[in-house]
Amino acid sequence: MALNRPTGSELLEALREFLDTTVAPQVDAATRFNLRIAANVIGIVQRELEQKSSADASERTALQQLMPDVATGADLETLNRGLVTRIRDGQFDDAAALAKLLRHLRTTTAAKLAIDNPRYE
Amino acid sequence: MAGQPDDRTAKLEGGLRNALGRLWQRDVAVRDIRRLTGGASSQTFAFTAHMNGQEEQVLILRRDPFADAAGTPQQAETRYGPGWRGEFEVLKAAAAAGVPVPEVLVPLRPEDGIGQGFVMRFVAGETVARRILREPQFASARATMAAQCGRILGRIHAMPVDCAPGLKHVSTRAHVAHYRERLRQWPEPMPVLELGLRWIEQRCPPEETEASRFVHGDFRHGNLIVGPEGVRAVLDWEIAHLGDPYEDIGWICTKAWRFGGPEPVGGFGDREDLYAAYAGATGQPVDRERARFWEIFGSLRWGVMCLGLTERHLSGRVRSLEFAAIGRRVSENEHDLLALIEEGV
């Protein structure tokens, strides 16, 4: 079932504008500080709505390539738990395995940052 | 104080008059008690004290109203620290060692009825990192602060290990085990933080070769009072302990404390300036590998601390937009950790 406009992202944009232009000028400095956090949070949710499913799909594929012995069809959380276990067990301690792991983690972390804080350097 | 019950103000007034009367052996009037922005484990108030024939003074009360009779703070984060009596003595010892700190005046006693803590003098200046890093009045401070911090840390790390009661030795392994345990309590898998922990665990020095020197434990923006000439006072000694002093060097260089500033040391300075001043103060060249180890530790520590803050919101113990949002800043720490690990590969 297709929902009516505005989209979720457009609703969030309207909410953010409301907070910035209507609410912010009327409140004290401490509340304005929290309003900036609120605006950031809305941006995170907008980017999450837009990017999460494709980021998740890429991560699943990458995890299965990194750990080919894990059962196919495993969900993202199960795969990441498997990865954490292997890291703790030292399976990525040697240079070659570590290089592969770092490449993978660089990619997933960059995808997270694109949603959480695309301006971070 | 707006919104505070009058009897709390009256109680504080009474307790402060008691404590200061004990110190100065005079009648002391206390007014204008105002709560400053405080941390999770303690409260900080500013107030005005006045005695007949003397000028008014602005003083600071630091206290925990809920500390138990032994003076031990209740919060997990401060359990490494020396406790309230210890912190008072640490501040005296720091002043004696030439470290810029507020002058402590008098510790609280149970009969003051306002918890555990102490009174110290007010030091004017700025603690907010964004202002220190951006405002023109702090331009010359920014240019000299890395070297100042190096000298100050050199003096802190030379403080005698028996300068105060309650100082605990915390080995590197114990530090790491603490964060390993906190990460274990977080329900989601966190592969980057796990890798950071693994990396650090593999490089922990053996306990027998460990240093046991005085460590501040939280030397960073927010705990430095800064004026146009630079650092005026170092605050928040509540987790001071004994161990590897490079912990402090790593923490001030941890990216989270740069607050968007361009430079590696607190956003304001160069590592070389910090290291050169530290080497000058200690008489020994800086061990860069050891400094890097503690920078990596710093990123891991802050990432795990952010998980803890967001957990407090998610669990309902406190409902806070700021705590909720901080959970989505952990990806920044993960980015920093990976960059540091890759540099060292």
Side-chain angles (χ1 to χ4, degrees):
Chain A
M1 172 206 77
L3 292 166
N4 301 327
R5 291 283 290 283
T7 61
S9 189
E10 288 166 336
L11 286 173
L12 288 172
E13 193 55 40
L15 178 56
R16 191 173 24 187
E17 276 170 24
F18 168 70
L19 291 178
D20 268 346
T21 57
T22 305
V23 180
Q26 298 185 36
V27 298
D28 65 27
T31 309
R32 267 200 306 279
F33 170 76
N34 277 305
L35 279 176
R36 277 195 293 275
I37 297 178
N40 270 340
V41 164
I42 290 170
I44 291 173
V45 178
Q46 279 178 298
R47 290 185 298 269
E48 183 172 322
L49 283 176
E50 286 158 20
Q51 301 175 32
K52 181 166 156 62
S53 356
S54 88
D56 281 356
S58 304
E59 187 180 349
R60 274 197 73 221
T61 307
L63 281 164
Q64 305 222 265
Q65 284 172 357
L66 192 63
M67 299 178 296
D69 51 322
V70 171
T72 50
D75 68 18
L76 200 46
E77 186 180 319
T78 307
L79 286 164
N80 272 313
R81 286 193 193 287
L83 179 57
V84 158
T85 305
R86 284 161 171 75
I87 292 171
R88 280 196 203 137
D89 288 347
Q91 291 186 32
F92 291 95
D93 286 352
D94 78 85
L98 179 61
K100 276 205 184 120
L101 176 64
L102 284 170
R103 258 195 309 276
H104 165 79
L105 291 176
R106 275 290 218 178
T107 307
T108 54
T109 303
K112 271 199 258 192
L113 266 179
I115 293 172
D116 290 346
N117 186 357
R119 288 201 301 254
Y120 189 70
E121 211 312 298
Chain B
M1 293 176 282
Q4 297 302 325
D6 280 332
D7 52 291
R8 175 167 72 165
T9 312
K11 247 192 133 179
L12 282 173
E13 229 178 82
L16 287 168
R17 292 183 61 197
N18 233 43
L20 290 171
R22 184 166 62 246
L23 174 72
W24 287 323
Q25 296 296 307
R26 306 244 331 242
D27 257 333
V28 183
V30 165
R31 61 177 179 82
D32 273 351
I33 301 174
R34 49 209 180 273
R35 175 108 184 245
L36 304 180
T37 49
S41 51
S42 58
Q43 300 176 335
T44 306
F45 301 86
F47 64 96
T48 304
H50 180 241
M51 292 178 283
N52 269 344
Q54 306 256 11
E55 290 211 0
E56 287 187 337
Q57 318 176 44
V58 180
L59 301 176
I60 301 285
L61 166 68
R62 259 180 61 73
R63 71 140 188 190
D64 181 350
F66 306 114
D68 65 25
T72 325
Q74 297 293 304
Q75 300 284 330
E77 288 79 19
T78 50
R79 78 197 193 299
Y80 284 160
W84 284 103
R85 185 72 213 198
E87 188 181 339
F88 183 83
E89 296 299 326
V90 160
L91 279 160
K92 277 167 60 177
V99 177
V101 286
E103 182 190 346
V104 285
L105 294 177
V106 62
L108 298 179
R109 281 194 194 156
E111 59 263 31
D112 298 328
I114 54 174
Q116 291 283 339
F118 54 84
V119 179
M120 60 187 179
R121 289 203 187 281
F122 172 72
V123 175
E126 185 58 73
T127 56
V128 174
R130 289 208 150 80
R131 291 188 202 137
I132 295 166
L133 291 172
R134 269 155 227 195
E135 287 177 9
Q137 57 170 314
F138 298 113
S140 60
R142 288 191 291 273
T144 55
M145 269 171 73
Q148 283 179 343
C149 287
R151 282 194 294 278
I152 289 169
L153 283 173
R155 290 192 189 149
I156 290 176
H157 298 157
M159 283 166 63
V161 298
D162 59 355
C163 66
L167 286 171
K168 301 174 180 66
H169 176 81
V170 184
S171 70
T172 306
R173 277 171 200 273
H175 271 299
V176 177
H178 172 69
Y179 290 98
R180 158 76 57 210
E181 176 55 25
R182 286 178 69 168
L183 182 59
R184 201 190 57 77
Q185 290 168 10
W186 179 253
E188 321 295 330
M190 305 289 289
V192 179
L193 297 182
E194 289 288 346
L195 175 62
L197 258 175
R198 177 83 188 164
W199 181 263
I200 289 168
E201 280 167 349
Q202 300 289 89
R203 286 155 184 79
C204 268
E207 296 213 27
E208 317 83 66
T209 67
E210 284 254 67
S212 190
R213 307 280 298 283
F214 190 99
V215 178
H216 179 279
D218 201 9
F219 191 88
R220 58 167 175 87
H221 268 308
N223 293 336
L224 301 175
I225 299 181
V226 174
E229 75 286 6
V231 179
R232 287 184 178 162
V234 180
L235 303 177
D236 276 344
W237 295 73
E238 60 186 6
I239 54 174
H241 56 279
L242 307 177
D244 187 339
Y246 277 71
E247 179 191 332
D248 285 337
I249 296 177
W251 196 228
I252 186 75
C253 293
T254 297
K255 196 152 170 215
W257 307 123
R258 298 177 199 168
F259 289 94
E263 304 292 339
V265 183
F268 52 75
D270 211 47
R271 277 191 193 90
E272 294 311 316
D273 289 345
L274 174 74
Y275 290 174
Y278 188 75
T282 58
Q284 287 190 333
V286 164
D287 179 344
R288 279 168 163 69
E289 268 312 296
R290 203 164 152 196
R292 246 178 48 80
F293 172 93
W294 284 104
E295 259 189 66
I296 293 176
F297 178 87
S299 258
L300 174 77
R301 170 181 172 187
W302 184 236
V304 173
M305 285 174 76
C306 286
L307 292 180
L309 291 171
T310 220
E311 208 278 330
R312 289 172 70 189
H313 167 84
L314 292 172
S315 72
R317 264 181 294 153
V318 80
R319 294 299 282 182
S320 155
L321 176 63
E322 196 178 347
F323 284 6
I326 212 168
R328 298 295 286 262
R329 300 199 62 185
V330 175
S331 44
E332 297 173 17
N333 289 102
E334 292 173 325
H335 171 93
D336 300 341
L337 258 175
L338 290 174
L340 283 166
I341 290 173
E342 281 189 317
E343 261 176 44
V345 167

